[in-house]
Amino acid sequence: MSDTILKPGGGIKPELPFKPVRVAILTVSDTRDEATDTSGQILIERVQAAGHAFAGRAVVRDDIDKVRAQVRAWIASGDVDAIVTTGGTGLTGRDITVEALEPLFDKRIDGFSVVFHLVSYASVGLSTLQSRATAGLIDGVLVFCLPGSNGAVKDGWDKVIAAQLDSRHKPCNMVELMPRFLES
């Protein structure tokens, strides 16, 4: 068996205009706060380095109602285009991010989990099976749920999310679809 994974197609076309996206970061954890939230900080730095607008940060305990309340508040504000969560996607009893957010999805982005696991497998092998990374749309806002480890956050942002939140990525990207998310 080969140790290589499929080489992705598409890419960034630097000659095209960049359209920044407003991104909020939610860390779901019983053990971290803003001072110790390294995965959330990594995401903030990457969001800003990519040229996006950092729209907010919160650290919320592993509680379904609190996670939902924070996500709903950001969506209701109208000031957020995408939310990236970190933590709570594992298999333990305290891992509730998936249970909190998937029921709110208007549409699930099935391919996100598939591609995340593909790139994660290249980094951590079969340990990727311990993640339930997921993504979907809630009231026209993209929501990406990543594991809490720094490595998973880097893989998720660098190898999956960043390109789809870059309006210059071709042959297509999610930014160009944003105006149509709520159409009927």
Side-chain angles (χ1 to χ4, degrees):
M1 185 165 113
S2 172
D3 287 337
T4 61
I5 61 173
L6 295 173
K7 185 177 184 221
I12 304 297
K13 304 287 186 193
E15 67 275 11
L16 296 175
F18 177 78
K19 297 175 189 168
V21 174
R22 301 168 298 173
V23 182
I25 307 300
L26 174 62
T27 299
V28 180
S29 176
D30 285 342
T31 60
R32 295 182 188 173
D33 57 25
E34 279 197 27
T36 60
D37 176 24
T38 56
S39 60
Q41 188 60 41
I42 287 168
L43 283 169
I44 291 167
E45 291 166 4
R46 279 169 159 70
V47 163
Q48 292 174 326
H52 297 298
F54 171 56
R57 175 188 198 172
V59 178
V60 176
R61 295 185 62 77
D62 293 282
D63 178 283
I64 289 174
D65 293 331
K66 289 180 178 162
V67 170
R68 285 180 180 168
Q70 181 60 65
V71 168
R72 284 180 172 140
W74 276 332
I75 291 170
S77 76
D79 296 330
V80 173
D81 301 309
I83 298 169
V84 182
T85 75
T86 174
T89 64
L91 300 173
T92 72
R94 296 297 301 154
D95 292 317
I96 53 78
T97 302
V98 175
E99 288 76 14
L101 298 179
E102 277 192 343
L104 303 182
F105 289 172
D106 300 311
K107 294 195 178 199
R108 188 172 162 176
I109 305 170
D110 293 320
F112 173 78
S113 181
V114 173
V115 174
F116 174 80
H117 285 294
L118 183 68
V119 300
S120 178
Y121 180 78
S123 295
V124 299
L126 291 174
S127 294
T128 192
L129 294 176
Q130 296 177 24
S131 168
R132 298 177 300 140
T134 189
L137 284 170
I138 304 173
D139 293 333
V141 173
L142 291 160
V143 179
F144 301 97
C145 302
L146 296 172
S149 76
N150 291 347
V153 163
K154 290 174 185 175
D155 281 348
W157 178 266
D158 296 346
K159 299 176 183 174
V160 187
I161 301 169
Q164 281 298 292
L165 291 186
D166 192 321
S167 57
R168 303 167 300 169
H169 186 272
K170 296 299 175 192
C172 56
N173 58 76
M174 292 185 180
V175 177
E176 62 195 13
L177 296 176
M178 286 180 175
R180 299 182 53 209
F181 284 157
L182 294 175
E183 71 186 12
S184 53

